[in-house]
Every structure is written in structure tokens, then in C-alpha cells.
Amino acid sequence: METLVLSQSYEPVARIPWQRAIHLLFQGKVEVVEEYEDRVVRSVTVELRMPSVIRFVRALWKGPRGIRFSRENVYQRDHCRCQYCGRKVTRPEATYDHVVPRAQGGVTSWDNIVIACVPCNQRKGNRTPAQARLTLLTLPARPKKLPNAVHLSFLVEQGVPLSWRKFLRDVAYWHTELET
């Protein structure tokens, strides 16, 4: 069983195992918003219903820290496109390419990592773009902001608990693309 995690402002941010939800609850970091009616967690001294939806009591961060360097954020920065041929690539098709290969002194940083499709990455190999006769569409750099993207892959999964639906429905309403 999993628990839906909401931000302080009731926006879905994750789903976690119920055990982690209980741990956060006892740390005082979250409050229970919804419970599973038919699931109970028991210890020697405590009995409580398993949390279905929890909400952080405080904001998740205390201020701007900059954008975290992660695969997802590189993918968003590069607008889901291979930076050599421009083809749109899905997450499973995307590879992360060192513009200057590590073997040639390249580092893993915002300024040296780009999204590439498999054919372009294989063509480039362990060479620089110039050595492989490839051109970068944009030079990699640390982004000041990322395109607004909400990834709610659990919205469409079958078997989502009823207690989650009202929170997911609101997010889907506000973040789904409107027809033109």
C-alpha cells in the first residue's frame, strides 16, 4: 500500500510506502488527511489506521536554493529534445551525454551534460561534438528556471485509491493543456 504525499498547499508531490508515511507522522513532519478505512497498523502500544493521504505541515524548502542538477531537470532544460539532431525523445529513449567526454577531462555538470538520442550518442561516441562532426543545438548551461512541467504519471494508473482522487483531479484540472 502506498500513501499520497501533499505539499503544505495540498498539491500532490509524491507517493511513498505507508511505512515511510508513518515514520514522517511520528517525526511530526506531516499530518494525516485521509486514512484507509480497512487497513490498521498495530504495535504493542499503538493502533492507528494506515494513512492514505498525508500533508507536510511546513513548506518543503525554506527558500530558493537554485535548480537541482538531476537527470529530470536536464531533460526539462533541453525541452525533451536531442541536442544534436533536435528529435523529441521520451524519457526511456533519452541518454545523457558528456559534451566533452570524461576521458578527455570533461566533468559531470550543467555545462557539460545534454540530452541525446541513442543514435546521436552512439555516433558521437567518446569524442567531442567537433571531433564527431556534430553540432549542438544549444550550449548547455545551468538554467535560471525550468519549463513548467507536472509529472503525474500516477494519475492514469488503475487502482488509484478513492481518497487520492479529489487531490489528483484538482491538479489535473489546472495543469492539463487546454484545447485551442
Side-chain angles (χ1 to χ4, degrees), residues 75 78-90 93 114-121 123 134-138:
Y75 185 75
D78 291 349
H79 301 285
C80 317
R81 297 197 175 277
C82 172
Q83 293 301 293
Y84 298 110
C85 70
R87 184 173 73 86
K88 190 165 181 125
V89 291
T90 63
E93 297 173 319
V114 295
I115 294 296
C117 65
V118 172
C120 286
N121 202 347
R123 180 177 163 202
L134 291 169
T135 305
L136 279 168
L137 297 177
T138 57

Side-chain angles (χ1 to χ4, degrees), residues 2 9 21 39 47 57 60 64 71 74 76 83 87-88 92 96-99 107 110 112-113 118 124 139-140 158 161:
E2 290 186 309
S9 58
R39 308 276 179 170
E47 178 177 308
V57 177
L60 295 175
R71 287 181 174 89
V74 171
Q76 292 302 319
Q83 293 301 293
R87 184 173 73 86
K88 190 165 181 125
Y96 301 91
D97 179 56
H98 286 80
V99 176
V107 295
W110 279 113
N112 195 44
I113 298 286
V118 172
K124 180 179 170 286
L139 291 175
Q158 297 215 348

Side-chain angles (χ1 to χ4, degrees), residues 26 28 102 104 123 139:
F26 281 108
R102 288 187 289 183
Q104 295 184 32
R123 180 177 163 202
L139 291 175

Side-chain angles (χ1 to χ4, degrees), residues 20-166:
R20 176 78 175 128
I22 298 287
H23 183 72
L24 291 170
L25 179 65
F26 281 108
Q27 287 182 320
K29 294 181 178 184
V30 298
E31 65 181 2
V32 176
V33 177
E34 299 278 345
E35 300 169 329
Y36 288 108
E37 295 293 325
D38 58 341
R39 308 276 179 170
V40 177
V41 178
R42 291 182 180 90
S43 76
V44 176
T45 57
V46 177
E47 178 177 308
L48 58 117
R49 285 198 177 132
M50 187 181 295
S52 171
V53 180
I54 58 174
R55 178 182 81 94
F56 278 102
V57 177
R58 292 185 204 93
L60 295 175
W61 57 87
K62 293 180 178 163
R65 287 190 235 169
I67 297 170
R68 191 178 65 160
F69 180 54
S70 68
R71 287 181 174 89
E72 176 62 26
N73 288 342
V74 171
Y75 185 75
Q76 292 302 319
R77 177 202 66 190
D78 291 349
H79 301 285
C80 317
R81 297 197 175 277
C82 172
Q83 293 301 293
Y84 298 110
C85 70
R87 184 173 73 86
K88 190 165 181 125
V89 291
T90 63
R91 281 178 188 76
E93 297 173 319
T95 62
Y96 301 91
D97 179 56
H98 286 80
V99 176
V100 176
R102 288 187 289 183
Q104 295 184 32
V107 295
T108 303
S109 70
W110 279 113
D111 302 326
N112 195 44
I113 298 286
V114 295
I115 294 296
C117 65
V118 172
C120 286
N121 202 347
Q122 288 177 340
R123 180 177 163 202
K124 180 179 170 286
N126 201 20
R127 302 176 287 180
T128 65
Q131 293 166 340
R133 295 191 178 133
L134 291 169
T135 305
L136 279 168
L137 297 177
T138 57
L139 291 175
R142 176 185 292 272
K144 291 186 173 59
K145 67 177 192 167
L146 291 172
N148 291 332
V150 176
H151 303 289
L152 298 171
S153 58
F154 50 90
L155 278 177
V156 294
E157 288 183 11
Q158 297 215 348
V160 171
L162 291 173
S163 57
W164 294 19
R165 292 189 180 169
K166 62 183 166 189

